[in-house]
Amino acid sequence: MTALVEFQRITCQDTNDSASDEPYLLYNGQLLMPEQGDVDPGDNRTIDVIKTLQGEARVDLWDADGGFPFDDHDFLASVTISESEVGQGQRIRQMKGNGAAYTLFYKVHPFPSA
Ligand SMILES: [Ca+2]
Ligand SMILES: [Ca+2]
């Protein structure tokens, strides 16, 4: 069985950086949402990407840090998405870690039959 994940948006409640964050998302280790600039608490960023899902998939949230002197990017949180979420409508998942808090919005659809 295969499903489709419709990634809608992410909202920020708390940042990892003392100033704005530069969040990005990975889906099973591949880029899902490229780095976003100037994200502050209360901000939304549209994702608007559809991915196929087989069994389970992992979404990782990172904050990009490119400043001198060579501060590494910060891992913030991850969630696992499962095919069992098909048909559950709007999914709202908290992604909290490393001082930051974000919310991920998505829907899991059945794969269209031929
Ligand atoms: Ca950071
Ligand atoms: Ca940053």
Side-chain angles (χ1 to χ4, degrees):
M1 187 185 157
T2 307
L4 295 177
V5 187
E6 175 190 359
F7 288 100
Q8 298 166 311
R9 64 193 169 94
I10 194 165
T11 64
C12 176
Q13 288 83 50
D14 266 308
T15 55
N16 165 256
D17 293 342
S18 51
S20 307
D21 271 0
E22 296 75 31
Y24 61 96
L25 290 166
L26 303 180
Y27 183 75
N28 283 337
Q30 299 197 313
L31 193 63
L32 169 66
M33 180 187 77
E35 181 182 326
Q36 306 290 307
D38 291 326
V39 172
D40 297 302
D43 283 358
N44 284 276
R45 287 294 184 274
T46 300
I47 305 171
D48 198 20
V49 171
I50 294 176
K51 293 284 189 187
T52 58
L53 171 66
Q54 285 184 312
E56 289 186 342
R58 177 185 163 123
V59 177
D60 296 315
L61 173 65
W62 289 77
D63 171 56
D65 286 331
F68 187 81
F70 313 115
D71 188 10
D72 284 338
H73 296 196
D74 294 312
F75 173 73
L76 303 183
S78 68
V79 293
T80 299
I81 299 176
S82 162
E83 278 186 2
S84 65
E85 295 171 53
V86 165
Q88 293 188 8
Q90 178 77 72
R91 305 293 294 154
I92 301 172
R93 303 284 297 273
Q94 299 300 317
M95 300 188 79
K96 277 187 180 179
N98 219 335
Y102 285 80
T103 308
L104 178 67
F105 295 79
Y106 63 90
K107 290 181 183 175
V108 184
H109 302 279
F111 197 81
S113 50

